[in-house]
Amino acid sequence: PQIGLNITQICLEKGCSEDEIVEEVLKLNEDPGVHGVYLHLPPASLTSRVLNTLKPEKDVDGISDLNMGRLVRGDISKGFVPPVASAVLALLEKHDGPLEGKAVLMVGGEGPFGVALQCLIERSGMVAFKSHCSSKNLQSQVCAFCATLHTFYSTFIFFNVVHSCGRWLQEQQYQPWHLRSLKLQPLTPVPSDIEISRAQTPKSVDQLAEEVGLLPEELEAYGRSKAKVRLSLLDRLHEQPDGKYVLVAGITPTPLGEGKSTVTIGLVQALTAHLKLNSFACLRQPSQGPTFGVKGGAAGGGYAQVIPMEEFNLHLTGDIHAITASNNLVAAAIDARMLHEATQSDKGLYNRLVPSVNGVRQFSPIQISRLRRLGINKTDPASLTPQEVSTFVRLDLDPSKITWQRVVDTNDRFLRKITVGQASTEKGQIRETGFDIAVASEIMAILALADGLEDMKRRLARMVVGTSRCGQPVTAEDLGVSGALAVLMKDAIKPTLMQTLEGTPVFVHAGPFANIAHGNSSVLADKLALKLVGRDGFVVTEAGFGADIGMEKFFNIKCRASGLRPDAVVLVATVRALKMHGGGPNVSAGAPLPREYIDENLSLVAGGCRSNLRKQIQIAHLFGVPVVVALNVFKTDTQAEIDLVCQIAKECGASDAVPCHHWAQGGRGSLDLARAVNEAASRPGNFQFLYDIEMPITEKIRTIAQKVYGADDIELSPEAKDKIDYYNKQGYGSLPICMAKTHLSLSHMPDKKGVPTGFVLPIREVRASVGAGFIYPLVGTMSTMPGLPTRPCFYDIDLDPVTEEITGLF
C-alpha cells in the first residue's frame, strides 16, 4: 500500500492438481487489472506447463521459459529479470571497486535462478564459478548473505510489478505502425483473380494486428487470416485524433460495375505500401446474392484485392447469417403472437406470458419496459386490473399492416410474394407476405449505423414491425424479442480485420445495398480505423453504386449518425460507362460488349463526361466536398480516351483526375491517385448536408429528387401520402430519407442514361425503418428481392474434392 500496489494473495488447496493451477493462472492472464503474477508454489508444482501458461508480460518473477530465453539472449526489453538474481547483483555492486574482472563463486543455485544469475554476472564482466561444497563456515556466511538478499529481493519484485504496470500503460497509448508490406510481382497477361489471390501468402492476422497497433486482447481470431476487432479499442484510443476520411463513390454504373472496390483497395495499397502513409480500407461484406447471381464477388480484382478472396466472398465471419437469423426470429415472433392472441383469452395469454416459476410470478425486464410505455407503473403481476391485463397482452397487430418480411441471402424472385399460415395447425391465420434479400433487412442497416452495443440494442428495440388495429406502431420490444436479437448480433457488431494483396489492413463490415438500403459499410469500422491510422493517416470507405444514391446516403444518413465529416470524394469512372452515358448501346451482364466499347470512340466518351460525370461531380459539390476523379483503366481504353476523360473531368470541377492501373499493377498503379487524394484531403473542408432534418418528409424527398436526380418534381401515390401522414403523427417526421431507387440511372427509369431531364419521380410507397433511423421511400417499381439471371455465376463455381480448392469465383 505504501507504494501504491494492490496485492492479492490466492491460496490453493494443498495437493491441488496441475489443471487447477493452470485454470487460476489463465484467469489472471485475462484480467486487465492484474499487472504482475508471482507463483509462490512448491517446486514440484512449477511444471513447464504452469510456467508457460503464465503470460511473460505478467511473469514478474521472470522464471517462465520465454523470459529466461530472453535473458540468456540478452533481450530483456519485453521480459523480466528474476528479482533474486537482480538482488544478488545489487549486493555485489555495493562492494568497492569495479566488478569487471572479478571472480564469483556460486554455491548451489541450480535451475532458473542459477541460469539467470550466471547470465547477469557474466554480462557485468565477471567470471562465475559453480560449487557444490558445503561447510559450516560457508553455511553461516550464506545465511547472513540471504538475510540481506531478502530485502533486496522484495524491492526488485515490486520494481518488476511497477515496471509491468508501466509497460501496460504504454501499450494502451496509440502505437506507431510497423507495417511489413507484401511484395507483388505482377504478371502479364494478368491471371484470374483467384489465381492472383492464391499466389500471395497473407500475413497471419495477429501479426497484422500488432503491426497496426492493436492489442492481443482486442482481437478475436477466425482462423489464420481474419479476426473480429473488439470495440474496446474506441475507449482505449478515445483521445487519439482521427485521420483523414475519404469516400469512394462512382458515376452511374453499367450492370457490370465500374470497380469502386478495386479502386478503394488500389488506393490504400498505394498510400500505405508505397507512400508509407497509414491507411485502412473499409468495405462492405459481399452478399451471396450477387456472388452467385450476376455480378460475382466483391473482393476487388486483379492486383488490388482483399485476400483470401474465397473467405471474403463466402460467409466471412457469419455476420449476414446472424442478421438473417435475427430478422427471421422477429418474423416468427410476429406470426406466433398473432396466432396466440387469436386463440386465447386475456387470462390465458397473461398466464402464459407471465408464468409462475417455482411459486414466484414476476415480469421480465422487457415486459416491465412495455408496461412503462403503456403507462402502467406496476411491478406485481397480481396487481393489474382486467383492463390493464388486456392492454398488456394484446398487441392486436393488423395483418394487413405488417411491414416486417422474412429474408434470405439469395436472389430468389419467387419469394417476393408468398402466403403463410396454410397448415391446419395455424388455425386459419393465413396472410400474404414476402421475402427481402438479407442485406435489405433493417437489422443490416442498424448494424451499419450503430455506434456501439448499447446503441444497437436501443435501435433493435424500437424497430417497428407493423401497426395495431387501433393505429399504434408495434415494435420488436413490444414483441419481447429485442434482447434476444442483441444476443444473436453481439459478435456481428465487431468489424472483421483482413488485408490486401500488399499486406495493408482492411475492415470488412456490414453489407447493405445502396439501391434498396443506404449502401455503406459500418460507422464502427470507420471510427475504429480513423483512430488506428493516426492524425496523418487515411480511412478510405466505399459507398455502393452511383454517387446519386450511395454517396448521397453516406452524407445525409451515415454522416448524420456518426458525426464524422469527409475530407474528399474519389469518383470512379470507366471509359465503357462514359460511352454508355454518351449514347452507346446497352450493356448486359454475360453478353459480349458491343464494338463501340472496344474500339476508340472519343465522341461517346465526351458525351458521357459532359453528362453523367459532370452531374455526379456537381452532386458531390452540393455537400461542399472536393472531388478527385479516378479513371479505372481497362486494357481496351486508348490513351486519347484516357486523356480526354481527365481533361473534361477537371473542366467539370474535379480538383484532379487521374488514370488508375491498380488492376494490372497493384498499389504502384494508383500512386497518382494517392497523391491527388492526399492533396485534396489536405484542403480546408466546407461540408454541409443537403437538407435540414426538420424539413417535412415530402420536402426532403422532393429536395433529393430535384437537386440530386434532376427531376422536375415528385408524384406521391395515395398510399405513400397516407403513410407520410401516419409517420408524421407518430413523430417520425424528423428522420432522414433513404431512397430505394434503381442504380442504373439518375432517374427511376433504368434505361435512361446520361442525365435524364423532364421527368417526375414516382413514389410508390413509403416505409419507415425506425430502428435504423430513416424514412424509406420506394421509387417506381423498385424491388427489395433481386432475381437470378438465365445464367447465374453459380454455373462456374465448383470445388475440387481432393484439394478443396474453389474454382469459378472472380
Side-chain angles (χ1 to χ4, degrees), residues 350-369 371 378-384 392:
Y350 193 54
N351 287 338
R352 288 172 175 82
L353 287 171
V354 193
S356 176
V357 179
N358 296 326
V360 178
R361 193 178 188 193
Q362 58 185 12
F363 294 116
S364 66
I366 203 166
Q367 290 175 325
I368 291 175
S369 294
L371 288 168
K378 296 179 180 179
T379 56
D380 181 5
S383 65
L384 268 63
F392 171 71

Side-chain angles (χ1 to χ4, degrees), residues 331-517:
I334 291 168
D335 287 313
R337 185 59 175 263
M338 288 196 299
L339 169 69
H340 295 312
E341 287 189 22
T343 56
Q344 296 181 50
S345 65
D346 290 351
K347 182 178 179 181
L349 272 171
Y350 193 54
N351 287 338
R352 288 172 175 82
L353 287 171
V354 193
S356 176
V357 179
N358 296 326
V360 178
R361 193 178 188 193
Q362 58 185 12
F363 294 116
S364 66
I366 203 166
Q367 290 175 325
I368 291 175
S369 294
R370 172 162 168 75
L371 288 168
R372 296 289 181 269
R373 289 195 304 279
L374 294 171
I376 302 171
N377 295 312
K378 296 179 180 179
T379 56
D380 181 5
S383 65
L384 268 63
T385 67
Q387 180 58 47
E388 289 171 336
V389 167
S390 180
T391 303
F392 171 71
V393 300
R394 298 217 173 264
L395 301 180
D396 200 25
L397 273 161
D398 184 339
S400 67
K401 294 183 178 178
I402 292 171
T403 56
W404 196 266
Q405 301 210 112
R406 288 167 172 81
V407 299
V408 64
D409 196 34
T410 302
N411 291 356
D412 193 344
R413 57 170 47 86
F414 284 91
L415 293 177
R416 289 171 180 167
K417 182 173 284 189
I418 63 170
T419 303
V420 297
Q422 296 198 58
S424 59
T425 51
E426 309 316 320
K427 303 179 181 179
Q429 299 298 307
I430 298 174
R431 69 180 182 92
E432 282 192 347
T433 181
F435 274 76
D436 295 328
I437 194 162
V439 291
S441 169
E442 183 174 356
I443 297 177
M444 174 63 87
I446 286 172
L447 176 68
L449 292 171
D451 67 3
L453 193 55
E454 185 176 347
D455 183 40
M456 184 179 72
K457 283 184 64 177
R458 286 195 298 266
R459 290 173 179 268
L460 291 170
R462 65 175 183 251
M463 292 188 305
V464 174
V465 302
T467 306
S468 70
R469 287 186 172 87
C470 63
Q472 293 302 308
V474 177
T475 67
E477 191 171 28
D478 291 325
L479 283 168
V481 73
S482 56
L485 301 181
V487 170
L488 286 171
M489 294 292 294
K490 71 178 181 65
D491 292 320
I493 197 172
K494 304 163 190 169
T496 299
L497 177 67
M498 295 187 76
Q499 64 193 280
T500 69
L501 277 166
E502 297 191 54
T504 67
V506 178
F507 273 140
V508 187
H509 204 210
F513 286 174
N515 53 354
I516 53 180

Side-chain angles (χ1 to χ4, degrees), residues 245 247-249 260 284 323 438-450 459 509-524 526 541-562 691 709 736-741 769 771-777 782 784:
Y245 197 30
L247 174 70
V248 175
K260 289 189 306 300
R284 292 169 294 160
I323 288 163
V439 291
S441 169
E442 183 174 356
I443 297 177
M444 174 63 87
I446 286 172
L447 176 68
L449 292 171
R459 290 173 179 268
H509 204 210
F513 286 174
N515 53 354
I516 53 180
H518 76 285
N520 284 269
S521 65
S522 76
V523 165
L524 281 169
D526 291 358
T541 190
E542 173 198 2
F545 295 127
D548 54 304
I549 45 180
M551 183 183 72
E552 181 270 314
K553 294 171 184 177
F554 171 85
F555 291 143
N556 282 321
I557 298 174
K558 185 177 178 182
C559 288
R560 288 185 199 271
S562 68
Y691 52 77
Y709 308 153
I737 304 299
C738 182
M739 304 285 273
K741 181 187 79 69
S769 293
F774 51 69
I775 299 293
Y776 178 18
M782 190 66 209
T784 53

